Amino acid sequence: MALQTVSTRPSITDERARLTEAEFSALLDAAVDGIVIMDADGQIEGFNASAERLFGFSPEEVMGRSVNLLMSDPGPSEDEGSLVSYLRTRQPDLVGNSRELVARRRDGTTFPVELAVGEVRAQVPRFVGIIRDISERKAIERRLTQREEELRLTIENAPIPIATVGLDGVVLSANPSFCKMLGYAQREIGRMSFRDFTYPDDLPLTVTLMEEALRGEGDTYSYQKRYVHKDGRVVHVVLHNGVVRDEQGRPVMIVVQVEDLTERMQAEEEAREHRERLAHVDRLNVMGEMAASIAHEINQPLSAIANYTNAAFRRVSAGRLDGEKLSASLTKIDEQAQRAGEVVRRLRNLVKKRESQRELLDVNDLVRESLRLAEVDARIHDVVVEVSLTESPSCVLADPVQIEQVILNLLRNAIDAMGMVPKEESRLMVRTDASENFVEVSVCDRGTGITKLDEQHLFEPFFTTKVAGMGMGLSISHSIISAHGGRFWFTRNPERGVTFRFSLPKATESLV
Ligand code: ADP
């Protein structure tokens, strides 16, 4: 569509002597942007093909009419959309600069445009408005803003602590979870460096890993470290860091996502304390069951002491002061007192409520010690105990009291299981075996065995088939062995009874 001018007004081509009208029209119609030519009052004098397409008006419909026809209703601010008022005031920022306005089509719908106005300096001044439809750009901008907002909200509301850190270590941003984790307000943390809240001992590792990542040795890295809360508390965390680079590949900042281990560690600590408490209760229970044998164990040396003392007393009363014999009696009394003292010491160890303490131990020694405690119990119940201990190295890093407790439990259960078995068949076999990485202890009995039904509940706390049982032994033993990195299980014997076994990881050579 050629540019049409209103005949009553001076022709544009008159003014622009260097272009013929045909050339001028062709130029305007070739323009991709909408072009509207208007006089100083904003009356339309020219309307190119792109303007026609943009606004849906034909040139005849707009010629001589106010350019405000093409603009959306002026907003609360008079300037908004009112091109005529711009022209009237001749705002210098309008001419020669582009502005964003809201335009209106013939059908009343509106769309965003970018408007640049050029002034034709002639006797009768005119203005050329170049109008570009920016709907698409605006939509993209809106989408981007929306995305940014979504991302901001996601990070702000993320339950995971997230922060960004500059190359100098200063915190660039931190979400509320991050601030809460360390007890600082957002504005406080914004002025801090990660060095200010990293636990001092963990600073060298933090810096080394950061430097390696910035050098390009892996853009993401995770590690466990400690922070210090504003109130001085240590906060255990796992960090998942990622280096953000610019288009040239230069590092810009580090995004830090934090896994706060505090709750997990507290739960583990509580579980450990709970296990220790139960283990203590269970030890008392085993001791209770073994009360008769314990009494016997202590009674024996005490009777011996009484006998030796009586004999010595009789000698002294009869005036037979044989120094050598007296000294022999005193030595025996001393030995028996030591033996009783030893039993009491062992019992006290087992009954004492204590924290788990790992030591380097020979599993064979632990089995021997447990057998000493269970020996009398077995004798009282007419159970023969066979022992076969491995000659291979069998050192483990373990808590002696807990492992003895596990072995004692197994021995007690085996003795109980053979309660109804004929005397001559009541025998149990205790073995230790060492493989390359594990030491295994097994207790094999010829007792009643375990039914398929009971098997499902065997390791559950409080499962018992005994009248006076507590049902804690196996579940506690299982958890003690698991906490030591070992395995606890049982198998049915081909003939009769069951074999309970547990394995413990062998102590590494550096420890031995
Ligand atoms: P408690 O001895 O107080 O019952 P445990 O947890 O030590 O608690 O054992 C749970 C149950 O497992 C026992 O009541 C018994 O039914 C079964 N059990 C354990 N060891 C044996 C065994 N050697 N032979 C047969 N049954 C066993």
Side-chain angles (χ1 to χ4, degrees):
M1 170 72 64
L3 178 83
Q4 298 203 359
T5 55
V6 181
S7 55
T8 52
R9 295 182 180 272
S11 156
I12 291 166
T13 46
D14 294 343
E15 309 283 337
R16 315 254 330 204
R18 270 173 281 154
L19 280 181
T20 65
E21 187 164 347
E23 282 170 341
F24 189 57
S25 296
L27 186 74
L28 290 180
D29 280 344
V32 181
D33 294 328
I35 296 176
V36 178
I37 297 165
M38 60 219 136
D39 67 12
D41 294 328
Q43 289 204 336
I44 299 172
E45 293 183 347
F47 204 65
N48 79 340
S50 288
E52 260 184 79
R53 197 173 23 79
L54 275 182
F55 291 96
F57 281 112
S58 67
E60 293 77 12
E61 284 173 308
V62 294
M63 289 304 177
R65 296 180 69 181
S66 166
V67 75
N68 272 354
L69 176 73
L70 307 176
M71 296 294 126
S72 164
D73 290 337
S77 131
E78 176 58 15
D79 282 353
E80 195 79 9
S82 171
L83 184 58
V84 172
S85 68
Y86 286 137
L87 299 177
R88 288 220 178 93
T89 53
R90 296 256 179 121
Q91 286 188 1
D93 67 327
L94 176 68
V95 175
N97 287 319
S98 65
R99 286 204 68 133
E100 287 181 9
L101 296 169
V102 181
R104 186 174 50 201
R105 296 191 189 90
R106 188 175 190 275
D107 63 8
T109 55
T110 56
F111 62 107
V113 293
E114 194 177 71
L115 169 75
V117 178
E119 189 174 356
V120 181
R121 293 184 194 280
Q123 276 174 350
V124 183
R126 286 198 180 76
F127 295 92
V128 181
I130 301 176
I131 298 156
R132 177 168 297 171
D133 183 354
I134 53 169
S135 309
E136 210 167 299
R137 197 181 83 198
K138 282 280 162 194
I140 291 172
E141 274 174 17
R142 254 199 318 279
R143 273 206 299 278
L144 276 179
T145 318
Q146 201 178 331
R147 288 255 177 83
E148 245 173 51
E149 183 59 8
E150 276 168 14
L151 190 64
R152 192 187 63 76
L153 283 174
T154 308
I155 293 176
E156 279 290 293
N157 295 306
I160 304 164
I162 302 173
T164 53
V165 174
L167 303 187
D168 53 359
V170 170
V171 177
L172 303 174
S173 69
N175 72 349
S177 299
F178 195 92
C179 299
K180 189 168 161 231
M181 173 185 69
L182 296 178
Y184 290 102
Q186 222 147 0
R187 69 191 142 66
E188 283 179 297
I189 218 155
R191 291 194 295 268
M192 297 173 83
S193 155
F194 69 80
R195 292 177 175 83
D196 300 327
F197 47 77
T198 290
Y199 189 76
D201 288 357
D202 295 346
L203 208 48
L205 173 73
T206 307
V207 173
T208 309
L209 290 176
M210 182 170 165
E211 283 171 355
E212 280 174 7
L214 292 178
R215 274 203 304 271
E217 296 169 27
D219 266 355
T220 57
Y221 60 106
S222 302
Y223 66 110
Q224 188 168 343
K225 68 179 270 188
R226 285 160 293 178
Y227 280 144
V228 183
H229 190 275
K230 192 178 180 184
D231 67 12
R233 203 164 16 101
V234 174
V235 183
H236 294 265
V237 291
V238 172
L239 296 195
H240 302 284
N241 291 1
V243 179
V244 178
R245 295 177 186 276
D246 64 13
E247 279 163 13
Q248 278 79 46
R250 286 181 303 239
V252 180
M253 63 178 179
I254 295 181
V255 179
V256 183
Q257 289 188 59
V258 187
E259 217 179 302
D260 189 346
L261 298 181
T262 314
E263 268 180 32
R264 199 202 299 172
M265 288 183 117
Q266 262 167 8
E268 273 170 15
E269 177 64 10
E270 274 166 24
R272 194 188 59 75
E273 277 174 15
H274 187 62
R275 203 171 50 222
E276 306 270 306
R277 269 201 304 279
L278 284 178
H280 177 239
V281 171
D282 185 58
R283 282 202 293 277
L284 292 181
N285 185 45
V286 173
M287 291 295 108
E289 286 174 14
M290 291 172 66
S293 46
I294 293 164
H296 182 86
E297 185 87 351
I298 297 175
N299 220 14
Q300 267 193 339
L302 288 182
S303 324
I305 290 170
N307 288 341
Y308 289 126
T309 316
N310 277 338
F313 190 62
R314 276 199 304 276
R315 267 175 214 279
V316 174
S317 314
R320 284 185 280 140
L321 281 169
D322 181 338
E324 219 171 280
K325 285 200 170 150
L326 207 57
S327 141
S329 293
L330 287 173
T331 309
K332 282 185 178 144
I333 288 171
D334 183 48
E335 275 170 15
Q336 294 301 318
Q338 298 276 2
R339 192 179 144 196
E342 181 63 13
V343 175
V344 172
R345 183 193 61 75
R346 257 186 259 140
L347 284 177
R348 208 191 276 142
N349 262 350
L350 270 172
V351 173
K352 213 167 32 184
K353 192 160 183 289
R354 52 190 283 289
E355 295 270 298
S356 176
Q357 284 156 5
R358 307 245 167 131
E359 299 166 20
L360 199 59
L361 304 158
D362 188 331
V363 172
N364 286 343
D365 289 341
L366 295 174
V367 171
R368 284 191 203 101
E369 182 85 355
S370 313
L371 283 169
R372 239 170 261 144
L373 278 165
E375 209 170 52
V376 188
D377 201 28
R379 213 180 307 132
I380 289 173
H381 291 89
D382 277 332
V383 172
V384 176
V385 182
E386 289 170 21
V387 184
S388 159
L389 302 180
T390 174
E391 285 177 5
S392 309
S394 51
C395 272
V396 294
L397 196 61
D399 181 309
V401 173
Q402 290 188 343
I403 304 301
E404 277 173 32
Q405 175 178 356
V406 173
I407 302 171
L408 263 182
N409 255 314
L410 294 183
L411 295 173
R412 271 298 313 170
N413 279 344
I415 293 170
D416 281 349
M418 292 192 290
M420 309 297 280
V421 170
K423 196 175 150 191
E424 56 287 0
E425 290 178 33
S426 263
R427 55 180 60 234
L428 63 85
M429 169 72 137
V430 183
R431 284 181 64 95
T432 59
D433 293 283
S435 65
E436 198 184 337
N437 298 318
F438 288 90
V439 184
E440 189 180 299
V441 177
S442 60
V443 176
C444 169
D445 65 50
R446 296 165 63 80
T448 48
I450 290 167
T451 65
K452 284 266 177 216
L453 198 66
D454 289 349
E455 180 183 338
Q456 294 167 20
H457 308 287
L458 215 55
F459 297 118
E460 288 170 12
F462 305 112
F463 171 77
T464 182
T465 55
K466 299 173 194 171
V467 180
M470 198 167 79
M472 290 304 297
L474 289 181
S475 87
I476 286 174
S477 299
H478 191 272
S479 78
I480 288 176
I481 298 302
S482 303
H484 278 78
R487 203 159 85 82
F488 186 86
W489 75 106
F490 85 93
T491 48
R492 291 193 175 78
N493 299 333
E495 273 186 27
R496 203 171 60 214
V498 287
T499 303
F500 274 90
R501 299 168 204 275
F502 68 85
S503 65
L504 291 172
K506 256 188 181 172
T508 53
E509 267 172 36
S510 58
L511 287 168
V512 179

